[in-house]
Amino acid sequence: MRDFLNTPIELLNSITEKKANILKKEINVSTFGDMLEHFPFRYIDKSKFTKIKDIANEDTYIQVIGRVIKKDIVKGKGQRLIITIKDDTATIDLVFFQGLKWINESFAIGIDYVIFGKPTIFNGIFNFAHPEFETLLAHRHTSIETFFPIYNTTERMKNAFLSSKNLAKYTQEILSLAVNRIEENLPEYITKHYNLFTRERALREIHFPKNDQTLAKAKIRLKFEELFFMQLENQVKKHINRSKNKGFIFSIVGENFTNFYKNHLPFTLTNAQQRVVKEIRNDMRTGSQMNRLLQGDVGSGKTLVGLLCMLIAIDNGFQASIIAPTEILAQQHFNSIKNFLKNMPINVCLLTGSSKQKDRKILLSALSEGEIHILVGTHAILENNVVFKNLGLAIIDEQHRFGVEQRSKMWSKNHIPPHILVMTATPIPRTLAMSVYGDLDCSVIDELPKGRKPIKTLHLFDRDILTLFNFIRKQIDIGRQIYVVYPLIKESEKMDLKDLMDGYESIVREFPLPKYQISIVHGQMKAEDKDYEMQRFKEGITNIMVATTVIEVGVDVPNATVMIIENAERFGLAQLHQLRGRVGRGQEQSYCILRTKDDISQEGLFRINTMCSTNNGFEIAQADLQLRGPGNIAGTQQSGVLDLKIADIVQDELMMTQTKELAVQIISHDPLLNARENKPLRDYLASKHKTADFSQIS
Ligand code: ADP
Ligand code: MG
């Protein structure tokens, strides 16, 4: 009984091996269950027909009834079959390029057909290219329900007669075999409480709904199921991590932490920083391994929180490590941590891809001897030959640049996995955090250090160049530094580089030596030249840094107060926010100037306006998610959200919260789902992961 949905699709009479292969390749359907979960993306009302005269638009599927009045095979470069049909208002051509013989034989002059497809315009006239068709008689025969499902198909599928209509036919066949054979995966106490359709009913109604209401209920049930199991799996993983992975117990807050806190901390922590340090500290002394996400807006002081946590690890006799996605960032963390700890007996070292072989050898042996307390670095730290004596805490900065594998690589750096703290570069919307990082605990810094003046953001057009130059001049006169950023996108790299160089030249002309010093940094430069220019800017030697987005993440030059973004309409919101975060790091008033051409798209303007109206990274992240959907948001690639078949984390936010709460509640009472009433959940998770032992999931 359990296996019905796992039946290979080719066991369906009409599915040949060739078709099965194409289904697998094109839409990843290989079983009955997969086919039933290939949901329609829309429906047509089979009782509605469009009159040929009323066809007005290219993009929607419609149904037309017409009588065949002419059939024509046109010879030319490739052969074409043209079938002309007529209703009581007008005529229209159906055009076919393939399977001509068979299609030609399927149409008979004088017979009425139902044509289904998207009209296209050719030479100013509507026609149908490769529409689906059947005789009116057959249509009346087969239309039981009013709504008819429309499925996504591909060109290859259509060529193999796997049209939307045929998919509907196969689905219908499977459903007729499925009576009482689709196992329920939600316990009754859930379906009852939330008033949900059974799984079988939902799968029937989603494909062939009786009416609007049953369709709506089918959708709710299937979305609920999808989100709930995603959340349940997260909770199971979290529970397994906690119970399986014993963690080091950092029981003391020791000398180094206290000494640093009392004597060397150059400012007071924000309330949010204090709260978060406490959360992390508590988490590191429970006896379970910590897996925690630290979210905070750009400039909220995540690095310092990380440093305090590393001191706790050191005070408890462990080593700590922080990895960053780029050399520039690693170097910067290294410098600032060294600077924070300059009067303390703590050994901080840096390991990156460009560390010299000789130094690396010394470093690695010091590391395994336990002489290094804090190792800062890049991916280089993940390599197997980097062995710690006793790594207790691993911090991963700017997580979106790293994958899940990297996280787990750090796990294996000690016999008991070290505590893991993941820091994000930009805030993520709540729902996304719930799914992407659902198996992590989360701490949020929701406050910026005191005394920071909110960055003023304004939109200037290209023609406002003189205003801009005057503003730059004034800021330089009072000692400030300026970033000017250009987009550089692979597809238009040459043009972009030219823009950058043109921009650089016009700035150099306007701000000439010796009074002004200008730096330039872009991806095509050698690493050492980049570093040299960055260094000059950091030290305040150069006034203006003209750059591509290589400076996007993490760069910290508090004296820089103006961020000018050229062609700002070409950047995404997250990127704009990151770039803006490069200024506003000191006490001075900072500015972000978004420059665009005069006419920009609606969406571009929406982004610019969003940036001008808020400095809050969480709000920006939410707007970004709404604008682009989860697929384009950094970090989602490895998460399940992109595999969601029917739920949508933007539209279904409420259900997301509901299902999460339910999952948390269930796992807190019955962590291994042993209770009798939870058996369906357990069975379903096990079958989904093709394992009998569901505690293997993770
Ligand atoms: P992010 O969260 O973007 O990584 P950083 O850790 O780079 O932010 O911190 C931004 C700047 O704010 C750094 O120069 C840091 O030294 C400073 N900073 C951090 N915490 C505080 C604080 N409580 N008060 C004042 N400045 C702080
Ligand atoms: Mg940072």
Side-chain angles (χ1 to χ4, degrees), residues 266-270 273 296-305 332-333 336 340 397-398 423-425 445 449-450 452 554 556 558 581-582 585 587:
F267 27 68
T268 48
L269 293 184
T270 62
Q273 282 172 316
D297 211 340
V298 191
S300 60
K302 294 185 287 287
T303 317
L304 185 60
V305 168
Q332 188 174 287
H333 279 324
S336 74
F340 275 128
D397 193 18
E398 319 290 1
M423 309 202 288
T424 60
I445 308 183
K450 294 213 171 50
R452 294 262 176 87
D556 191 20
R582 297 310 107 217
R585 309 196 136 236
Q587 301 296 317

Short mmCIF file of all heavy atoms in Angstrom, two decimals, residues 266-270 273 296-305 332-333 336 340 397-398 423-425 445 449-450 452 554 556 558 581-582 585 587, ligand 1:
data_model
loop_
_atom_site.label_atom_id
_atom_site.label_comp_id
_atom_site.label_asym_id
_atom_site.label_seq_id
_atom_site.Cartn_x
_atom_site.Cartn_y
_atom_site.Cartn_z
N PRO A 266 36.95 49.64 23.56
CA PRO A 266 37.02 51.08 23.33
C PRO A 266 35.68 51.80 23.43
O PRO A 266 35.63 53.02 23.41
CB PRO A 266 37.60 51.19 21.91
CG PRO A 266 37.35 49.87 21.28
CD PRO A 266 37.23 48.86 22.35
N PHE A 267 34.58 51.07 23.52
CA PHE A 267 33.27 51.73 23.65
C PHE A 267 32.35 50.81 24.43
O PHE A 267 32.71 49.66 24.70
CB PHE A 267 32.66 52.03 22.28
CG PHE A 267 33.11 51.10 21.20
CD1 PHE A 267 32.73 49.76 21.21
CD2 PHE A 267 33.92 51.56 20.17
CE1 PHE A 267 33.15 48.90 20.20
CE2 PHE A 267 34.35 50.70 19.17
CZ PHE A 267 33.96 49.37 19.18
N THR A 268 31.19 51.26 24.81
CA THR A 268 30.28 50.34 25.49
C THR A 268 29.47 49.58 24.46
O THR A 268 29.15 50.08 23.39
CB THR A 268 29.30 51.10 26.41
OG1 THR A 268 28.75 52.17 25.65
CG2 THR A 268 29.97 51.64 27.64
N LEU A 269 29.15 48.34 24.83
CA LEU A 269 28.35 47.53 23.92
C LEU A 269 26.93 48.09 23.83
O LEU A 269 26.43 48.67 24.79
CB LEU A 269 28.26 46.09 24.43
CG LEU A 269 29.53 45.26 24.44
CD1 LEU A 269 29.21 43.84 24.89
CD2 LEU A 269 30.19 45.24 23.08
N THR A 270 26.30 47.91 22.70
CA THR A 270 24.88 48.25 22.63
C THR A 270 24.10 47.20 23.43
O THR A 270 24.61 46.11 23.70
CB THR A 270 24.37 48.22 21.17
OG1 THR A 270 24.53 46.89 20.66
CG2 THR A 270 25.15 49.19 20.30
N GLN A 273 23.91 44.05 21.53
CA GLN A 273 25.16 43.26 21.57
C GLN A 273 25.27 42.50 22.88
O GLN A 273 25.61 41.32 22.91
CB GLN A 273 26.38 44.16 21.38
CG GLN A 273 26.63 44.57 19.93
CD GLN A 273 27.74 45.62 19.81
OE1 GLN A 273 27.78 46.58 20.59
NE2 GLN A 273 28.62 45.46 18.84
N GLY A 296 22.35 40.63 11.91
CA GLY A 296 22.43 42.01 12.34
C GLY A 296 22.65 42.85 11.12
O GLY A 296 23.28 42.40 10.15
N ASP A 297 22.15 44.03 11.16
CA ASP A 297 22.29 44.90 10.01
C ASP A 297 23.76 45.27 9.79
O ASP A 297 24.59 45.12 10.69
CB ASP A 297 21.46 46.17 10.23
CG ASP A 297 20.93 46.72 8.91
OD1 ASP A 297 21.50 46.36 7.86
OD2 ASP A 297 19.96 47.48 8.94
N VAL A 298 24.04 45.75 8.61
CA VAL A 298 25.38 46.21 8.30
C VAL A 298 25.82 47.23 9.35
O VAL A 298 25.07 48.14 9.68
CB VAL A 298 25.37 46.92 6.92
CG1 VAL A 298 26.77 47.18 6.44
CG2 VAL A 298 24.61 46.09 5.92
N GLY A 299 27.01 47.05 9.88
CA GLY A 299 27.53 48.03 10.85
C GLY A 299 27.01 47.87 12.27
O GLY A 299 27.26 48.71 13.13
N SER A 300 26.28 46.78 12.54
CA SER A 300 25.71 46.64 13.88
C SER A 300 26.72 46.08 14.88
O SER A 300 26.42 45.95 16.06
CB SER A 300 24.47 45.75 13.83
OG SER A 300 24.81 44.47 13.35
N GLY A 301 27.91 45.74 14.39
CA GLY A 301 28.96 45.30 15.31
C GLY A 301 28.96 43.81 15.58
O GLY A 301 29.14 43.38 16.71
N LYS A 302 28.82 43.03 14.53
CA LYS A 302 28.82 41.58 14.70
C LYS A 302 30.22 41.06 15.02
O LYS A 302 30.38 40.15 15.81
CB LYS A 302 28.30 40.91 13.41
CG LYS A 302 26.83 41.21 13.14
CD LYS A 302 26.29 40.44 11.94
CE LYS A 302 26.79 40.96 10.60
NZ LYS A 302 26.20 42.23 10.19
N THR A 303 31.22 41.68 14.41
CA THR A 303 32.58 41.19 14.62
C THR A 303 32.97 41.23 16.09
O THR A 303 33.58 40.30 16.62
CB THR A 303 33.59 42.05 13.83
OG1 THR A 303 33.05 42.29 12.54
CG2 THR A 303 34.92 41.37 13.71
N LEU A 304 32.60 42.31 16.74
CA LEU A 304 32.95 42.45 18.15
C LEU A 304 32.26 41.38 18.99
O LEU A 304 32.87 40.81 19.91
CB LEU A 304 32.55 43.85 18.62
CG LEU A 304 32.97 44.19 20.04
CD1 LEU A 304 34.48 44.10 20.19
CD2 LEU A 304 32.49 45.58 20.41
N VAL A 305 31.01 41.11 18.68
CA VAL A 305 30.31 40.03 19.37
C VAL A 305 31.06 38.72 19.17
O VAL A 305 31.30 37.96 20.12
CB VAL A 305 28.85 39.91 18.86
CG1 VAL A 305 28.20 38.62 19.36
CG2 VAL A 305 28.04 41.12 19.30
N GLN A 332 41.11 42.19 7.09
CA GLN A 332 40.52 43.25 7.89
C GLN A 332 40.12 42.77 9.28
O GLN A 332 40.36 43.44 10.28
CB GLN A 332 39.30 43.77 7.15
CG GLN A 332 38.69 44.99 7.75
CD GLN A 332 37.60 45.48 6.83
OE1 GLN A 332 37.87 46.02 5.78
NE2 GLN A 332 36.37 45.23 7.22
N HIS A 333 39.52 41.58 9.33
CA HIS A 333 39.18 41.00 10.64
C HIS A 333 40.45 40.81 11.46
O HIS A 333 40.48 41.10 12.65
CB HIS A 333 38.52 39.62 10.47
CG HIS A 333 37.07 39.70 10.15
ND1 HIS A 333 36.24 40.66 10.66
CD2 HIS A 333 36.28 38.92 9.38
CE1 HIS A 333 35.01 40.47 10.20
NE2 HIS A 333 35.01 39.42 9.42
N SER A 336 41.65 44.15 12.76
CA SER A 336 40.86 44.79 13.81
C SER A 336 40.90 43.95 15.09
O SER A 336 40.95 44.50 16.19
CB SER A 336 39.44 45.09 13.34
OG SER A 336 38.69 43.93 13.26
N PHE A 340 42.17 45.28 18.62
CA PHE A 340 41.38 45.19 19.85
C PHE A 340 42.19 44.53 20.97
O PHE A 340 42.12 44.90 22.13
CB PHE A 340 40.12 44.34 19.64
CG PHE A 340 38.94 45.09 19.08
CD1 PHE A 340 38.27 44.63 17.95
CD2 PHE A 340 38.46 46.24 19.70
CE1 PHE A 340 37.16 45.30 17.44
CE2 PHE A 340 37.34 46.92 19.20
CZ PHE A 340 36.71 46.45 18.07
N ASP A 397 31.82 34.08 8.96
CA ASP A 397 31.30 35.43 8.70
C ASP A 397 30.72 35.50 7.30
O ASP A 397 31.18 34.81 6.40
CB ASP A 397 32.45 36.44 8.84
CG ASP A 397 31.91 37.88 8.90
OD1 ASP A 397 30.71 38.06 9.18
OD2 ASP A 397 32.70 38.81 8.66
N GLU A 398 29.73 36.34 7.12
CA GLU A 398 29.13 36.56 5.81
C GLU A 398 28.73 35.24 5.18
O GLU A 398 29.12 34.90 4.06
CB GLU A 398 30.09 37.30 4.87
CG GLU A 398 30.88 38.43 5.51
CD GLU A 398 30.02 39.63 5.88
OE1 GLU A 398 28.79 39.60 5.66
OE2 GLU A 398 30.57 40.60 6.43
N MET A 423 27.51 34.18 10.92
CA MET A 423 27.08 35.58 10.86
C MET A 423 26.67 35.93 9.43
O MET A 423 27.39 35.62 8.48
CB MET A 423 28.21 36.50 11.31
CG MET A 423 28.80 36.09 12.66
SD MET A 423 29.66 37.40 13.57
CE MET A 423 31.12 37.61 12.61
N THR A 424 25.52 36.56 9.26
CA THR A 424 25.09 36.90 7.90
C THR A 424 25.54 38.30 7.54
O THR A 424 25.69 39.17 8.40
CB THR A 424 23.56 36.88 7.75
OG1 THR A 424 23.02 37.84 8.66
CG2 THR A 424 23.01 35.52 8.05
N ALA A 425 25.70 38.50 6.24
CA ALA A 425 26.14 39.81 5.76
C ALA A 425 25.01 40.82 5.80
O ALA A 425 25.19 41.96 6.17
CB ALA A 425 26.66 39.68 4.34
N ILE A 445 20.88 41.16 16.30
CA ILE A 445 21.29 42.48 16.79
C ILE A 445 20.42 43.50 16.06
O ILE A 445 20.56 43.68 14.86
CB ILE A 445 22.77 42.78 16.49
CG1 ILE A 445 23.67 41.64 16.97
CG2 ILE A 445 23.19 44.10 17.13
CD1 ILE A 445 25.15 41.91 16.77
N PRO A 449 25.20 50.89 16.99
CA PRO A 449 25.92 51.60 18.05
C PRO A 449 25.45 53.05 18.17
O PRO A 449 25.08 53.66 17.17
CB PRO A 449 27.38 51.53 17.59
CG PRO A 449 27.46 50.32 16.76
CD PRO A 449 26.14 50.20 16.08
N LYS A 450 25.48 53.56 19.40
CA LYS A 450 25.00 54.92 19.64
C LYS A 450 25.86 55.94 18.91
O LYS A 450 27.01 55.70 18.62
CB LYS A 450 25.06 55.22 21.13
CG LYS A 450 24.11 54.38 21.90
CD LYS A 450 23.54 55.08 23.13
CE LYS A 450 22.43 54.21 23.69
NZ LYS A 450 22.87 52.79 23.86
N ARG A 452 25.69 56.96 16.00
CA ARG A 452 25.70 56.87 14.54
C ARG A 452 24.59 57.73 13.99
O ARG A 452 23.44 57.62 14.39
CB ARG A 452 25.42 55.43 14.09
CG ARG A 452 26.49 54.47 14.47
CD ARG A 452 27.44 54.23 13.31
NE ARG A 452 28.53 53.38 13.75
CZ ARG A 452 28.47 52.06 13.71
NH1 ARG A 452 27.38 51.46 13.25
NH2 ARG A 452 29.48 51.34 14.13
N GLY A 554 31.83 44.27 3.86
CA GLY A 554 32.70 44.27 5.01
C GLY A 554 33.76 45.33 5.15
O GLY A 554 34.27 45.54 6.24
N ASP A 556 35.87 48.35 6.04
CA ASP A 556 35.61 49.25 7.17
C ASP A 556 36.59 50.42 7.19
O ASP A 556 37.73 50.29 7.60
CB ASP A 556 35.72 48.43 8.48
CG ASP A 556 35.19 49.22 9.66
OD1 ASP A 556 34.42 50.19 9.46
OD2 ASP A 556 35.55 48.87 10.81
N PRO A 558 36.13 54.06 8.64
CA PRO A 558 35.18 54.97 9.29
C PRO A 558 35.23 56.41 8.75
O PRO A 558 34.22 57.12 8.83
CB PRO A 558 35.61 54.93 10.75
CG PRO A 558 36.30 53.62 10.90
CD PRO A 558 36.97 53.34 9.59
N GLY A 581 26.30 50.38 3.40
CA GLY A 581 26.84 50.06 4.72
C GLY A 581 28.33 50.33 4.86
O GLY A 581 28.88 50.26 5.94
N ARG A 582 28.99 50.63 3.74
CA ARG A 582 30.43 50.97 3.83
C ARG A 582 30.62 52.35 4.42
O ARG A 582 31.72 52.68 4.87
CB ARG A 582 31.09 50.94 2.44
CG ARG A 582 31.13 49.62 1.73
CD ARG A 582 31.65 48.52 2.59
NE ARG A 582 30.57 47.63 3.00
CZ ARG A 582 30.48 47.07 4.19
NH1 ARG A 582 31.37 47.29 5.11
NH2 ARG A 582 29.47 46.28 4.46
N ARG A 585 30.06 54.67 9.31
CA ARG A 585 30.70 53.84 10.32
C ARG A 585 31.39 54.67 11.39
O ARG A 585 31.94 54.13 12.34
CB ARG A 585 31.71 52.92 9.64
CG ARG A 585 31.10 52.19 8.49
CD ARG A 585 31.92 51.01 8.05
NE ARG A 585 31.01 49.92 7.82
CZ ARG A 585 31.09 48.72 8.41
NH1 ARG A 585 32.07 48.45 9.22
NH2 ARG A 585 30.20 47.80 8.15
N GLN A 587 31.53 58.84 13.39
CA GLN A 587 30.65 59.80 14.06
C GLN A 587 30.04 60.82 13.10
O GLN A 587 29.09 61.50 13.42
CB GLN A 587 31.44 60.57 15.12
CG GLN A 587 32.06 59.70 16.20
CD GLN A 587 31.01 58.99 17.02
OE1 GLN A 587 30.01 59.59 17.40
NE2 GLN A 587 31.23 57.72 17.30
P1 ADP B 1 29.13 44.36 10.90
O1 ADP B 1 28.02 43.93 11.77
O2 ADP B 1 28.64 45.00 9.64
O3 ADP B 1 30.12 43.27 10.64
P2 ADP B 1 31.30 45.57 12.26
O4 ADP B 1 31.51 44.47 13.20
O5 ADP B 1 32.23 45.71 11.11
O6 ADP B 1 29.83 45.51 11.69
O7 ADP B 1 31.22 46.93 13.08
C1 ADP B 1 31.13 48.17 12.45
C2 ADP B 1 31.94 49.21 13.17
O8 ADP B 1 31.31 49.54 14.41
C3 ADP B 1 33.33 48.77 13.52
O9 ADP B 1 34.19 49.84 13.27
C4 ADP B 1 33.26 48.45 15.01
O10 ADP B 1 34.49 48.61 15.65
C5 ADP B 1 32.24 49.46 15.49
N1 ADP B 1 31.49 49.06 16.68
C6 ADP B 1 31.09 47.81 17.01
N2 ADP B 1 30.39 47.82 18.16
C7 ADP B 1 30.33 49.10 18.58
C8 ADP B 1 29.75 49.77 19.73
N3 ADP B 1 29.06 49.10 20.65
N4 ADP B 1 29.89 51.10 19.80
C9 ADP B 1 30.56 51.79 18.85
N5 ADP B 1 31.14 51.24 17.78
C10 ADP B 1 31.03 49.91 17.63
#
